Amino acid sequence: MNPSNNSSTITSFILLGFLCPREGQVLLFVLFSAVYLLTLMGNGSIICAVHWDQRLHTPMYILLANFSFLEIWYVTSTVPNMLANFLSDTKVISFSGCFLQFYFFFSLGSTECFFLAIMAFDRYLAICRPLHYPTFMTGYLCTNLVVSCWVLGFLWFLIPIIIISQMSFCGSIIDHFLCDPGPLLALTCTRAPAIELTSSTLSFLLLFIPFLFIMVSYILVLRAVLRVPSAAGRKKAFSTCGSHLAVVSLFYGSVMVMYGSPTSEHKTGMQKIVTLFYSVVTPLINPVIYSLRNKDMICAIKKLLGT
């Protein structure tokens, strides 16, 4: 069979998702529907709290509100289609729908890496350069940083995704719940080492450059905090950074397991679980982490809810 003729018949893919009996699919639908709604409510509450409470109109909270907005779209790029597949007998996604999901999922994930880096930079300035912080971290700079994260995130994987979409595919069954580059490249009629190397290199740079920036920022923060004479001052400084470090650990820990080593090393089941953790579970947990030890945010949310 001619590969090009075979590839011309690929107009859709089948996302196998989580294979289990019909009753299990319904149970998963209910579970992930609840997770999705809680994620929207949690991140939406942070956005509303920052918008309505004047005390939260500072760079730290503006970045947090933008991060919550990003999380809403990040989880929306995968979960609604996953929910539809739970109740579907065919589990089909169109060719264009698959690559749109691929693009938005990776673009939003890339944007999250950059956001975590500038949030660390903001904490570094606030703690290590407190006298210069108000004049340096202005609304203008904050806006530019936010826009840069979105633009850079949506351009990072654009070219490889366009090239992969133009390749010939000799299979249509993806053993995953989303359109991921590993399973997609495995379906191509001919191997493309250059594309695989480019994607791996971009993933490596995307993960390790922001992560290195975050680690350097927090090493400098730690050094500055340890010089604070009072225990109360050190506790306050650590509390402002603890939530962000927890989010960085959850996101980067799972993403590096997935993309920091060759895809072939991971079994399909492990790929699904790890991807599920950083794409669905982490956006659910983040609002809790950011609100749990933040008195200003707790007060703003209570005020928003009228309690």
Side-chain angles (χ1 to χ4, degrees):
M1 183 180 291
N2 190 324
S4 61
N5 290 337
N6 186 46
S7 66
S8 66
T9 63
I10 304 296
T11 58
S12 61
F13 294 100
I14 297 171
L15 291 173
L16 293 182
F18 299 95
L19 298 174
C20 59
R22 182 67 179 176
E23 295 78 9
Q25 297 282 322
V26 173
L27 183 62
L28 287 173
F29 174 82
V30 174
L31 174 63
F32 283 104
S33 293
V35 168
Y36 183 54
L37 289 174
L38 288 172
T39 303
L40 296 185
M41 289 169 61
N43 287 286
S45 296
I46 288 178
I47 295 169
C48 293
V50 173
H51 178 74
W52 291 109
D53 196 320
Q54 293 290 330
R55 295 173 302 171
L56 302 184
H57 289 186
T58 61
M60 183 179 82
Y61 291 109
I62 290 169
L63 290 174
L64 179 56
N66 276 274
F67 185 75
S68 293
F69 179 74
L70 166 66
E71 292 286 65
I72 287 173
W73 288 107
Y74 189 45
V75 76
T76 300
S77 68
T78 56
V79 173
N81 184 72
M82 184 166 61
L83 292 175
N85 275 1
F86 285 140
L87 303 181
S88 170
D89 293 324
T90 58
K91 303 185 184 299
V92 170
I93 184 171
S94 67
F95 187 92
S96 58
C98 183
F99 277 92
L100 278 173
Q101 185 189 63
F102 182 8
Y103 174 65
F104 279 104
F105 179 69
F106 270 79
S107 296
L108 291 163
S110 302
T111 305
E112 181 156 344
C113 290
F114 296 127
F115 257 105
L116 290 172
I118 65 167
M119 289 167 82
F121 177 63
D122 174 71
R123 291 301 82 210
Y124 159 75
L125 287 177
I127 293 170
C128 299
R129 299 286 185 271
L131 298 178
H132 301 288
Y133 180 73
T135 55
F136 189 82
M137 185 57 84
T138 60
Y140 178 76
L141 177 62
C142 188
T143 301
N144 281 341
L145 288 172
V146 168
V147 171
S148 298
C149 285
W150 283 100
V151 172
L152 196 56
F154 273 76
L155 291 177
W156 195 262
F157 280 104
L158 179 60
I159 302 301
I161 290 173
I162 290 174
I163 294 173
I164 292 172
S165 70
Q166 301 302 312
M167 295 174 72
S168 299
F169 291 89
C170 291
S172 61
I173 299 176
I174 300 174
D175 192 4
H176 212 313
F177 62 86
L178 55 80
C179 292
D180 198 62
L184 275 171
L185 286 170
L187 296 177
T188 56
C189 298
T190 55
R191 283 205 58 192
I195 295 299
E196 291 177 12
L197 179 61
T198 302
S199 297
S200 298
T201 303
L202 286 173
S203 296
F204 178 85
L205 293 174
L206 175 69
L207 290 174
F208 285 96
I209 290 176
F211 184 72
L212 183 63
F213 186 84
I214 292 167
M215 289 300 100
V216 170
S217 296
Y218 276 110
I219 288 171
L220 295 173
V221 166
L222 180 62
R223 191 176 69 173
V225 169
L226 292 176
R227 291 175 179 171
V228 175
S230 68
R234 288 195 297 270
K235 184 179 179 181
K236 183 178 179 182
F238 277 126
S239 67
T240 61
C241 301
S243 56
H244 184 251
L245 276 173
V247 170
V248 168
S249 301
L250 284 172
F251 181 75
Y252 269 98
S254 54
V255 171
M256 283 182 175
V257 166
M258 192 69 214
Y259 298 105
S261 56
T263 306
S264 58
E265 291 185 4
H266 305 295
K267 293 183 178 179
T268 304
M270 181 58 69
Q271 285 184 18
K272 293 178 187 179
I273 292 169
V274 175
T275 306
L276 188 70
F277 186 82
Y278 72 77
S279 65
V280 179
V281 177
T282 302
L284 171 68
I285 297 172
N286 286 351
V288 179
I289 293 173
Y290 278 117
S291 303
L292 199 60
R293 297 179 63 186
N294 191 314
K295 293 180 181 179
D296 291 335
M297 183 59 69
I298 291 172
C299 290
I301 292 174
K302 285 182 177 179
K303 186 179 176 182
L304 180 71
L305 298 174
T307 57

